[in-house]
């Protein structure tokens, strides 16, 4: 079956611009996660959705970052007024159960964001 | 606070040898641990997981060992192959079902 799909795979934007990153989770997975990965580092948690609601957004670095999942499936990560420090690979993952029963997260291949 | 780390950033092994990748964690209350493999340009790929009520779990060519006394986790890969070359991450389960990752170990397999 299809895995987690993320688009675009690469995004180059100028400092100060607005970007949207899209994630299509595995069908039937109720939980969706966004992570950010800098070069040479492990993925860093940003936000977690259970269904349509953000159950935990404690990892979002500041209010320039926002994510939605309006129908409980596709999610969009939005970054306003991008800064060069936002450059990283943004990973999306989904899991079958989420916090109700810890289960493996299945990751997409990420969106590589470069802010010039 | 919660943290997950790795003892070695790089590991080089000969093809056919066994590999052991180590990981230390600090949260004694963690009850779920997982290993991922990440190849260049790809997302982390699930390898194997283990819950705290177990101390060993085996998969195909891989074994995860959990030592709760010293808060240590290891991944053993039998008969390492060139295709095993990648960065390996351990992670522990957070309170919201998310995962907390360490920095990773790069495994290089010499033919």
């Amino acid at each position: 079956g299809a895995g987690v799909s993320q688009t675009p795979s690469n995004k180059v934007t100028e400092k100060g611009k607005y970007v949207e990153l899209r994630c299509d989770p595995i069908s039937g997975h109720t939980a969706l996660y966004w992570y950010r990965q800098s070069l040479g580092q492990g993925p860093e948690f940003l936000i977690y959705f259970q269904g349509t609601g953000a159950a935990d957004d404690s990892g979002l670095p500041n209010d320039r970052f926002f994510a939605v999942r309006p129908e409980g499936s596709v999610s969009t990560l939005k970054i306003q007024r991008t800064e060069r420090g936002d450059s990283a690979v943004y990973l999306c993952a989904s899991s079958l159960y989420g916090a109700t029963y810890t289960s493996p997260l299945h990751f997409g291949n990420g969106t590589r964001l470069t802010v010039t | 606070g919660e943290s997950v780390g790795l003892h070695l950033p790089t590991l080089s092994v000969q093809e056919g040898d066994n590999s052991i990748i180590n990981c230390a964690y600090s949260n004694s209350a963690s009850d779920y641990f997982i290993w991922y493999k990440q190849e260049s340009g790809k997302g982390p790929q699930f390898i194997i997981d283990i819950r705290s009520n177990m101390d060993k779990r085996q998969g195909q060519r891989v074994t995860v060992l959990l030592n709760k006394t010293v808060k240590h986790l290891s991944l053993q890969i039998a008969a390492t192959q060139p295709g095993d070359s990648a960065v390996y991450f351990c992670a522990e389960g957070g309170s919201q079902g998310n995962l907390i990752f360490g920095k990773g170990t790069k495994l290089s397999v010499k033919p």
Side-chain angles (χ1 to χ4, degrees):
Chain A
V4 176
S5 176
Q6 292 188 246
T7 54
S9 56
N10 282 282
K11 176 70 177 178
V12 180
T13 191
E14 293 180 347
K15 179 176 178 293
K17 299 291 187 183
Y18 167 84
V19 297
E20 289 189 351
L21 311 179
R22 177 188 168 105
C23 173
D24 282 86
I26 294 172
S27 178
H29 280 196
T30 61
L32 184 145
Y33 303 80
W34 284 99
Y35 282 78
R36 177 168 69 175
Q37 187 174 27
S38 300
L39 190 64
Q41 303 292 317
E44 175 190 17
F45 171 73
L46 295 177
I47 187 170
Y48 153 61
F49 287 90
Q50 185 68 45
T52 60
D56 183 357
D57 64 358
S58 63
L60 295 178
N62 52 60
D63 61 6
R64 295 187 298 105
F65 289 75
F66 189 72
V68 296
R69 194 186 186 199
E71 298 180 355
S73 178
V74 171
S75 176
T76 305
L77 178 65
K78 309 179 180 189
I79 309 174
Q80 298 176 321
R81 305 183 303 280
T82 53
E83 300 177 357
R84 292 194 181 88
D86 298 335
S87 296
V89 175
Y90 288 81
L91 293 165
C92 177
S94 68
S95 72
L96 192 56
Y97 300 115
T100 54
Y101 182 76
T102 310
S103 53
L105 271 60
H106 299 273
F107 285 85
N109 286 330
T111 294
R112 180 175 297 278
L113 176 66
T114 302
V115 182
T116 61
Chain B
E2 298 175 330
S3 68
V4 178
L6 292 169
H7 294 305
L8 297 173
T10 60
L11 178 65
S12 183
V13 300
Q14 202 70 37
E15 181 179 358
D17 287 352
N18 296 334
S19 302
I20 300 176
I21 301 172
N22 296 303
C23 179
Y25 64 94
S26 61
N27 185 1
S28 56
S30 293
D31 62 0
Y32 179 75
F33 304 89
I34 190 166
W35 283 98
Y36 282 90
K37 171 186 179 183
Q38 188 173 28
E39 297 173 291
S40 181
K42 296 186 177 181
Q45 176 187 0
F46 168 74
I47 302 173
I48 192 167
D49 58 1
I50 189 168
R51 300 198 179 274
S52 60
N53 60 351
M54 304 173 68
D55 54 18
K56 180 180 180 179
R57 191 173 187 205
Q58 289 183 294
Q60 186 176 13
R61 283 200 307 118
V62 295
T63 300
V64 56
L65 298 177
L66 176 63
N67 186 330
K68 295 181 286 292
T69 301
V70 295
K71 292 185 283 189
H72 184 267
L73 190 70
S74 68
L75 177 70
Q76 300 178 0
I77 304 173
T80 313
Q81 302 169 1
D84 294 327
S85 294
V87 176
Y88 289 80
F89 292 97
C90 68
E92 62 182 303
S95 58
Q96 291 289 344
N98 61 319
L99 295 176
I100 303 165
F101 285 81
K103 288 187 177 180
T105 293
K106 182 177 181 179
L107 176 65
S108 297
V109 182
K110 296 176 288 187

